[in-house]
Amino acid sequence: MAQKTSEKKYWARSACPYDCPDACGLLIETDGKEIFCVKGDDRHPVTRGFICQKMAHYEQTVHHKDRILYPMKRTGRKGEGAFVRISWDEAVDEICTRWKALIRDYGGECILPYSYAGAESLIQNKCGEGFFNRLGASKLIRSICSKAKGAGFAQAYGDTPGIFVNDIPESDFILIWGCNIKATWLHASAKVVEARKKGSHVVIVDTYETPSAPLAHETFCVRPGSDGALALSMACVLKAAGLIDRDFLKEYAPGFEHFLDTLDDYTPEWAGPVTGIAPERIRALALAYGRAKAPLIIFGSGYSRHTNGAINTRCISALPALTGAFKKKGGGYLGNINSKGAFNTDRLTRPDWDDPRIRSINMNQLGQALANRQSPVYSLYVYNSNPANVAPGQRQVLEGLSREDLFTVVHERFMTDTARYADILLPADTSVEHGDLITPYGSLCIQAIFPVIRPLGECRSNWDTFCLLAKGMGFKEDIWDLSNEDLLEEMIREPNPWRQQWDEESREAFAHGMGVVLPLPDPLDFKTENKKIRLYTPDLSEPVPAYRPNKSMRATCLGKNDWLALVVAPAMETLNTTFTEREALCLRRGEAALKMNLKDAADRGIKDGDPITVYNDLASVSLKAKVSEKVPEGTVVAEGIYPTASMPGLFGINALLSQDLSDSGEAATLSDNAVKVVPY
């Protein structure tokens, strides 16, 4: 789409590629060489012209003076950030020469890719998987965010996506669980506001009063990791009050009686001490939910970032099944959406090149992998991520990145903490400099985007970079001759059963770069093997949803010797370490701080704004105290991830996070840690 506004400038249609459920439609003012203004696309069927403060001035990111524009080679110590400019030919030759030697001496498994959701657009996110399968490198288990939640949903509902986000206002009772929705799902937040205006009752369940709390009529602050106990206690109340829809369960949840038989012990009186919520409040919440005509649960991921994260999901997701909430428009759940099925991702991931004998390494245990001298990683290739800041166990990660025998390549836009450890630093382009496919996880609205401007300097997309490296490695397959835009066109042209259900108008709109909603599934068409909800699954180690306390060693010390539960949460102004190049956003976010309860602070002689030391057996971090009545006693909260250069000490908050994994999904346990806090 190109709408001329003057002789030189015009508006081009695009979309946000970042790690957010919304994937907002964008309109970009450009002359084909530069972008001048970014605004929301009012014709986008979900986001409808409204975008967040981060993307509102995306031109400041694209044209930032600190963009990495050319390949560079390290000249100083690792972590120092000293580089000299080189050519792409030199960079590719250096990388491929080193890799060929490493593969000859140690095998391809000594090379490890590391990526995640720095770009959520389909090609840039997935294309490296095929390249590294072809290379024979170690496989990365990408599970740092919500894989425990995904595993829990899969065990109960398979791939059932839940309701369409635009149907939120049809619900008369909305329960937002483990989600700071204003920070992480802005357009769902707007729909909640719309629902509330129509009379819907809104409740938030979280570990503290997040900035989203004003959206709700009330907030329930649970002890970290106890969400499953609250859900089961609500189920117990529903059963006792006769609010179970047994007719629905008989038709859609065979074996449900096995689950109902376990509920009597989960009384509100039992759950009160576990969750920190008074029994009468639990009972009132359950009755309000059970009596609603179209109750909706909006799932975040915060509650699942524990060693019991997957079974917590099963417990919470049982509630809409018990009440038959799926029968009414706006009822059920929202938070298990995957629109990638609209395209054949095998073109990108190449499962035909996947050797099952090759080892897998969990991205949450990068520090352990880099410290493993029995089966070493000798080369690390980082794209779409900044593990020096975001990976758990930061202290061990930085020690690993400092190894002189680790050959590190980083493909990046800015000099992140990880980029400073690179041996070869490659310049990455932005979403307006290449084409891609937008397949969000917050709705079923997909979009094709096309280049708005040519790449700045010598920046290249992920796909074009992997094609260069493939040729440098001597790979002969024809696919490496395709440009990024060639690949995009092929994927669009390839028939897909889901997209083929569109009418001609929708197909035409999609071809012209507009956001188009995929055909919505029947809410009662559950995407499991037998088309039924699995409240009872005898082949699982836990056949029915049950409460299981955290297993983390750090969780076991809570309540003893002044230990506090550490919750890490998103910031409103940035997205992990993305957008930290933007000074205005960072100023608005403020300096790194630890939110703590008034009594916890007073007991330790700490006042608001005091410098503090936060520590456990993993590391010690310096922060400022932010004393707040919005944080329950026994819990402390750190919002946002900060570059180490902005921290008073050597490390950021992730140095305090263990590399333990969840019960299913091999996910990070980012909020399953404990710390002590003392004045600095």
Side-chain angles (χ1 to χ4, degrees):
M1 185 275 291
Q3 178 188 340
K4 296 287 184 179
T5 59
S6 72
E7 191 169 331
K8 292 184 178 180
K9 296 180 182 179
Y10 57 92
W11 290 98
R13 180 167 275 115
S14 190
C16 177
Y18 293 111
D19 186 7
C20 171
D22 288 331
C24 294
L26 305 176
L27 293 176
I28 297 176
E29 187 182 35
T30 182
D31 60 1
K33 299 177 182 178
E34 182 179 352
I35 70 171
F36 303 100
C37 178
V38 178
K39 65 181 182 179
D41 181 0
D42 57 6
R43 295 182 66 186
H44 190 279
V46 173
T47 61
R48 300 186 186 278
F50 175 53
I51 59 175
C52 72
Q53 60 184 335
K54 299 180 281 292
M55 291 303 291
H57 288 289
Y58 190 40
E59 75 279 358
Q60 295 177 9
T61 290
V62 173
H63 297 291
H64 197 283
K65 62 182 177 58
D66 293 335
R67 275 282 301 273
I68 296 169
L69 298 177
Y70 308 99
M72 294 189 285
K73 184 174 182 177
R74 177 171 65 92
T75 58
R77 298 188 314 275
K78 290 200 172 192
E80 186 179 345
F83 295 90
V84 62
R85 179 177 170 180
I86 59 175
S87 69
W88 267 101
D89 287 344
E90 290 174 297
V92 171
D93 182 67
E94 174 83 6
I95 294 167
C96 294
T97 298
R98 294 285 294 270
W99 279 355
K100 288 174 183 177
L102 287 171
I103 291 170
R104 181 194 64 225
D105 294 341
Y106 304 104
E109 284 187 342
C110 75
I111 301 170
L112 176 67
Y114 195 99
S115 70
Y116 198 60
E120 273 281 8
S121 48
L122 195 60
I123 294 175
Q124 309 314 315
N125 182 268
K126 305 294 286 185
C127 65
E129 296 177 39
F131 172 79
F132 286 105
N133 278 346
R134 177 65 177 84
L135 192 68
S138 286
K139 290 173 276 192
L140 185 72
I141 299 172
R142 294 172 171 85
S143 57
I144 199 168
C145 182
S146 59
K147 285 300 194 301
K149 180 177 78 170
F153 268 120
Q155 290 164 4
Y157 291 94
D159 292 327
T160 307
I163 76 164
F164 183 40
V165 65
N166 285 2
D167 289 339
I168 290 174
E170 302 301 319
S171 172
D172 61 341
F173 187 98
I174 299 173
L175 184 50
I176 303 170
W177 206 309
C179 179
N180 182 0
I181 198 168
K182 288 180 67 174
T184 62
W185 204 343
L186 197 56
H187 290 84
S189 170
K191 294 297 180 184
V192 170
V193 172
E194 187 178 336
R196 181 166 174 167
K197 289 178 180 177
K198 291 178 63 176
S200 181
H201 188 77
V202 181
V203 175
I204 289 176
V205 175
D206 217 311
T207 50
Y208 73 111
E209 286 190 33
T210 71
S212 298
L215 292 175
H217 293 90
E218 53 185 333
T219 295
F220 288 72
C221 292
V222 296
R223 292 198 174 109
S226 68
D227 303 78
L230 175 59
L232 291 170
S233 186
M234 290 175 63
C236 174
V237 174
L238 293 174
K239 179 184 175 183
L243 294 172
I244 302 292
D245 189 337
R246 291 177 181 269
D247 290 337
F248 176 85
L249 293 175
K250 287 175 183 176
E251 183 173 358
Y252 293 105
F256 71 91
E257 298 92 346
H258 294 279
F259 177 49
L260 294 189
D261 288 345
T262 69
L263 294 179
D264 294 342
D265 291 336
Y266 296 119
T267 64
E269 287 68 30
W270 165 84
V274 177
T275 63
I277 299 174
E280 59 271 19
R281 292 195 72 205
I282 297 175
R283 188 169 281 106
L285 174 62
L287 293 174
Y289 176 83
R291 289 168 179 163
K293 294 179 180 178
L296 172 67
I297 301 179
I298 299 177
F299 284 81
S301 297
Y303 72 87
S304 72
R305 292 173 180 146
H306 295 267
T307 50
N308 59 1
I311 201 158
N312 276 344
T313 300
R314 290 176 64 195
C315 293
I316 302 166
S317 67
L319 294 172
L322 295 179
T323 56
F326 302 96
K327 297 187 299 184
K328 296 291 184 67
K329 189 174 183 179
Y333 65 70
L334 179 62
N336 187 39
I337 296 168
N338 185 343
S339 57
K340 290 182 173 63
F343 300 96
N344 179 11
T345 58
D346 287 355
R347 296 279 285 159
L348 306 173
T349 60
R350 296 308 296 256
D352 54 318
W353 291 340
D354 181 11
D355 185 345
R357 298 169 296 178
I358 291 177
R359 70 176 174 179
S360 294
I361 293 175
N362 193 295
M363 68 184 306
N364 302 300
Q365 297 175 327
L366 177 64
Q368 295 176 17
L370 296 181
N372 180 359
R373 306 310 291 174
Q374 301 301 313
S375 183
V377 172
Y378 283 120
S379 182
L380 184 69
Y381 186 98
V382 180
Y383 63 106
N384 291 354
S385 190
N386 180 17
N389 277 132
V390 305
Q394 185 188 41
R395 181 174 191 157
Q396 192 175 41
V397 171
L398 295 181
E399 290 171 354
L401 291 174
S402 300
R403 281 174 37 203
E404 283 297 331
D405 65 341
L406 178 71
F407 177 59
T408 301
V409 183
V410 178
H411 190 201
E412 186 49 271
R413 302 171 307 153
F414 294 98
M415 190 63 71
T416 64
D417 279 1
T418 305
R420 298 176 70 85
Y421 286 86
D423 293 288
I424 299 293
L425 184 54
L426 303 176
D429 66 359
T430 65
S431 61
V432 296
E433 297 164 83
H434 60 247
D436 216 316
L437 297 165
I438 304 298
T439 54
Y441 59 90
S443 76
L444 294 177
C445 180
I446 65 172
Q447 186 172 354
I449 60 172
F450 305 99
V452 177
I453 60 174
R454 292 179 59 83
L456 302 185
E458 296 179 9
C459 295
R460 293 180 184 267
S461 70
N462 287 340
W463 173 255
D464 287 338
T465 300
F466 286 128
C467 287
L468 279 180
L469 294 173
K471 292 173 183 176
M473 293 301 296
F475 300 165
K476 302 299 184 184
E477 294 83 8
D478 291 343
I479 194 169
W480 308 118
D481 294 324
L482 296 178
S483 71
N484 189 96
E485 310 320 315
D486 292 336
L487 179 61
L488 172 62
E489 290 298 329
E490 282 199 7
M491 294 185 70
I492 290 174
R493 286 198 304 268
E494 185 174 6
N496 177 273
W498 205 355
R499 288 186 285 121
Q500 285 177 312
Q501 297 176 48
W502 276 336
D503 58 24
E504 185 59 36
E505 183 180 353
S506 296
R507 284 193 288 270
E508 186 71 14
F510 179 76
H512 284 83
M514 297 187 69
V516 182
V517 178
L518 290 162
L520 300 176
D522 181 340
L524 296 177
D525 180 17
F526 297 107
K527 306 299 183 181
T528 58
E529 292 87 347
N530 63 354
K531 301 294 184 180
K532 304 294 183 183
I533 300 170
R534 296 181 292 218
L535 291 180
Y536 172 63
T537 314
D539 57 331
L540 292 179
S541 60
E542 297 282 0
V544 298
Y547 177 62
R548 295 292 177 260
N550 294 335
K551 293 181 180 178
S552 169
M553 291 184 65
R554 287 161 189 82
T556 63
C557 63
L558 294 181
K560 302 175 184 177
N561 301 319
D562 298 326
W563 288 93
L564 300 167
L566 173 62
V567 170
V568 292
M572 295 285 292
E573 298 79 12
T574 53
L575 180 60
N576 295 326
T577 58
T578 305
F579 299 106
T580 54
E581 75 280 354
R582 300 257 292 277
E583 184 178 2
L585 294 176
C586 291
L587 287 173
R588 207 172 301 154
R589 180 175 70 168
E591 60 187 321
L594 189 75
K595 289 186 174 182
M596 58 190 310
N597 176 268
L598 283 73
K599 184 177 186 304
D600 288 333
D603 288 348
R604 292 160 177 78
I606 294 169
K607 299 186 297 297
D608 187 56
D610 281 356
I612 55 175
T613 297
V614 187
Y615 69 95
N616 58 19
D617 59 319
L618 296 173
S620 178
V621 175
S622 299
L623 296 168
K624 286 289 182 69
K626 192 170 184 179
V627 180
S628 172
E629 61 184 8
K630 296 180 179 181
V631 180
E633 189 176 345
T635 297
V636 290
V637 180
E639 293 179 335
I641 303 176
Y642 289 70
T644 53
S646 69
M647 299 294 293
L650 298 174
F651 304 115
I653 199 69
N654 279 27
L656 301 171
L657 310 185
S658 82
Q659 298 173 63
D660 295 342
L661 302 178
S662 61
D663 47 352
S664 295
E666 299 185 70
T669 56
L670 304 176
S671 289
D672 206 346
N673 297 276
V675 293
K676 287 191 175 185
V677 183
V678 296
Y680 182 73

